[in-house]
Structure formats: structure tokens, C-alpha cells
């Protein structure tokens, strides 16, 4: 078995931007079709339709949920967040890894989700202030969820590397295949 080490050739790339889909977007998909990297994109916070590059079949699109907890930290429930972006791509064909979960002809997004509702989001501390707030306050949105998924994937890749296994990558949909196998 060949060993793999952490280094500049093994990356998880997190992005929190998106734009309306457009004709010809497929020619940009190659930027996430990487041999040793995974692209993670936020799906947006404005519902349907899908945004690009989250609709890129080589990217892992991260949507949002609303997570409710008990006072002791136990999970009450987790449901789709009404503000989460996503939908079926108007330009990208459905990739094979979605055959068992997507009955449409286009690529569906998001692939995964994370707590992104600003009302149930993440406590942050900012001494300089942000959006009129300072000190402790909550943030949310899929732009908060995407880098957390990138961290999960990076941690999983470290475990895979320590076991002598290849890190997950976007090139041959290894990361997507692994995620959809969990469904």
C-alpha cells in the first residue's frame, strides 16, 4: 500500500460564493476536477434555483439545516432550513453518483447540509464588530456551513492517509461517491 502524507498536493478548497447559473458554465467545471483536491461550495441562502459553482458536479455543494437542541445539548431535531439554496441545475447533467437519489435529468444541489439557520447558527466572538454587533453573537448561512464541511473532509482525509489510503478527491468523484454511499 502506498502511503500518503499531508502537504500542498492534498487540499480541501472551501468557497462561499455563488452566482446564477449561465450557459457555458460547464467549461469552468475543470477547476474543481482535481486529482488530489476537493472543492466545497456553499449552495446559497436564497432557495431555488441552484447556484453556480455549487451546481458543478465536481464540487460538493453544502446546504443548510435548522438544528434544535435541548438545554443539555441533545438533538431535538434537524430539518431543512427554509433559507438554504439549491435545486436542479439548468445546465449541468445529472452525475452518476446521484442516480439513486435524484429523479431529474440535471445535477441536484446541495449534496450535504449543515446547521446554517442564523437563528440556530454558531456562536462567534468578534471584538471589532460585524454588522453592528460585537462580542458574542450568532452567525449562520451556507457560507458558514461550507468551511465546516471542508474541515470534516480534511479530518477524514487525515484518517485515510494514516491508514495508507488515498485522500478523497473530486477528479473521479471519489468524495461524492463516498458521501452518497452513506445515504
Amino acid at each position: 500500500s502506498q502511503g500518503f502524507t499531508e502537504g500542498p498536493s492534498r487540499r480541501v478548497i472551501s468557497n462561499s460564493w455563488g452566482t446564477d447559473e449561465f450557459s457555458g458554465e460547464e467549461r469552468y467545471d475543470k477547476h474543481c476536477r482535481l486529482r488530489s483536491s476537493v472543492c466545497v461550495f456553499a449552495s446559497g441562502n436564497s432557495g431555488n434555483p441552484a447556484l453556480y459553482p455549487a451546481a458543478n458536479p465536481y464540487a460538493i455543494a453544502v446546504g443548510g439545516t435548522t438544528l434544535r437542541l435541548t438545554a443539555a445539548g441533545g438533538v431535538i431535531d434537524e430539518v431543512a432550513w427554509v433559507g438554504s439554496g439549491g435545486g436542479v441545475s439548468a445546465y449541468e447533467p445529472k452525475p452518476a453518483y446521484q442516480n439513486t437519489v435524484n429523479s431529474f435529468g440535471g445535477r441536484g444541489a446541495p449534496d450535504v447540509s449543515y446547521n446554517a439557520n442564523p437563528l440556530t447558527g454558531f456562536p462567534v466572538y468578534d471584538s471589532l464588530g460585524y454588522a453592528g454587533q460585537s462580542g458574542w453573537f450568532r452567525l449562520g448561512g451556507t457560507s458558514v456551513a461550507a468551511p465546516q464541511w471542508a474541515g470534516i473532509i480534511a479530518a477524514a482525509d487525515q484518517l485515510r492517509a494514516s491508514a495508507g489510503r488515498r485522500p478523497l478527491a473530486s477528479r473521479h468523484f471519489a468524495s461524492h461517491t463516498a458521501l452518497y454511499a452513506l445515504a
Side-chain angles (χ1 to χ4, degrees):
S1 128
Q2 182 179 0
F4 294 90
T5 60
E6 208 179 343
S9 63
R10 307 283 177 219
R11 295 187 176 117
V12 181
I13 302 161
S14 175
N15 289 277
S16 294
W17 62 273
T19 188
D20 291 341
E21 284 197 283
F22 54 94
S23 177
E25 69 189 29
E26 306 93 310
R27 71 178 173 256
Y28 298 103
D29 290 354
K30 65 184 176 189
H31 297 293
C32 281
R33 191 178 64 230
L34 306 169
R35 167 180 266 167
S36 61
S37 299
V38 176
C39 289
V40 181
F41 275 91
S43 68
N45 305 326
S46 56
N48 195 16
L51 296 178
Y52 189 83
N56 178 339
Y58 292 98
I60 293 178
V62 181
T65 63
T66 297
L67 177 65
R68 292 188 320 142
L69 302 174
T70 66
V75 174
I76 296 171
D77 62 9
E78 187 172 18
V79 297
W81 172 45
V82 70
S84 182
V88 177
S89 174
Y91 301 100
E92 303 279 358
K94 175 175 62 176
Y97 60 79
Q98 288 189 335
N99 282 341
T100 60
V101 296
N102 178 356
S103 61
F104 298 98
R107 192 261 202 266
D111 297 301
V112 295
S113 59
Y114 209 84
N115 182 20
N117 182 333
L119 298 176
T120 62
F122 301 91
V124 296
Y125 185 86
D126 189 337
S127 61
L128 299 177
Y130 172 77
Q133 301 177 78
S134 63
W136 285 102
F137 55 94
R138 286 192 188 277
L139 283 179
T142 60
S143 291
V144 173
Q148 292 188 66
W149 256 103
I152 291 168
I153 294 167
D157 275 348
Q158 286 181 345
L159 291 172
R160 292 174 66 86
S162 69
R165 298 178 64 200
R166 286 188 184 278
L168 298 172
S170 296
R171 186 173 192 187
H172 299 291
F173 301 122
S175 53
H176 295 81
T177 302
L179 287 170
Y180 279 90
L182 300 171

